[in-house]
């Protein structure tokens, strides 16, 4: 019974820490870059896009397709970095709890 109570306490601690981590993830921002810096996307680790910067040289009608491709690439780069930041936070959160590897996508 003591093990069960200990597990319940640990689960409650994890839930509290998960909530705290979710709040922190909203403040972690990453930049996705493409075209050697011609396009940049700023995103939180919760995948909320905060801003996009486009070099003025791409603001020509004939460069529309290039710009579209660069935006997609920058968004993907930002998403990968946001996911890595989230994994890092999750690892820090669950590292000391003795949980089995892979439980939370680690």
């Amino acid at each position: 019974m003591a093990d069960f109570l200990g597990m319940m306490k640990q689960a409650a601690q994890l839930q509290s820490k998960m909530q705290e981590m979710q709040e922190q993830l909203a403040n972690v921002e990453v930049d996705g870059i493409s075209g050697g810096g011609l396009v940049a996307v700023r995103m939180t680790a919760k995948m909320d896009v905060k801003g996009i910067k486009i070099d003025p040289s791409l603001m020509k009608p004939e460069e529309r397709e290039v710009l579209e491709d660069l935006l997609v690439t920058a968004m993907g780069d930002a998403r990968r970095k946001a996911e890595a930041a989230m994994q890092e936070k999750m690892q820090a959160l669950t590292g000391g709890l003795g949980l089995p590897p892979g439980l939370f996508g680690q």
Side-chain angles (χ1 to χ4, degrees):
M1 187 70 165
D3 284 343
F4 179 73
L5 292 176
M7 286 175 54
M8 292 301 290
K9 182 178 178 183
Q10 198 173 35
Q13 288 174 340
L14 178 60
Q15 184 177 10
S16 174
K17 288 183 178 185
M18 288 285 289
Q19 179 65 33
E20 182 181 319
M21 183 193 72
Q22 288 294 322
E23 293 167 7
Q24 290 176 0
L25 288 175
N27 296 321
V28 174
E29 293 186 355
V30 297
D31 288 318
I33 306 293
S34 67
L38 293 175
V39 174
V41 174
R42 180 163 283 276
M43 178 183 288
T44 70
K46 289 185 79 170
M47 310 298 173
D48 295 325
V49 176
K50 293 295 189 175
I52 296 175
K53 291 185 180 179
I54 301 169
D55 189 275
S57 68
L58 295 173
M59 303 302 277
K60 301 174 188 168
E62 65 273 11
E63 297 294 330
R64 182 184 57 82
E65 288 183 29
V66 172
L67 177 57
E68 290 169 350
D69 290 342
L70 290 173
L71 279 168
V72 169
T73 303
M75 294 285 286
D77 187 43
R79 183 185 45 77
R80 283 186 294 281
K81 290 176 180 176
E83 288 172 350
M86 187 183 328
Q87 288 289 358
E88 187 178 307
K89 288 277 188 192
M90 188 66 85
Q91 182 67 31
L93 171 68
T94 61
L97 295 176
L99 298 172
L103 187 61
F104 291 99
Q106 299 174 9

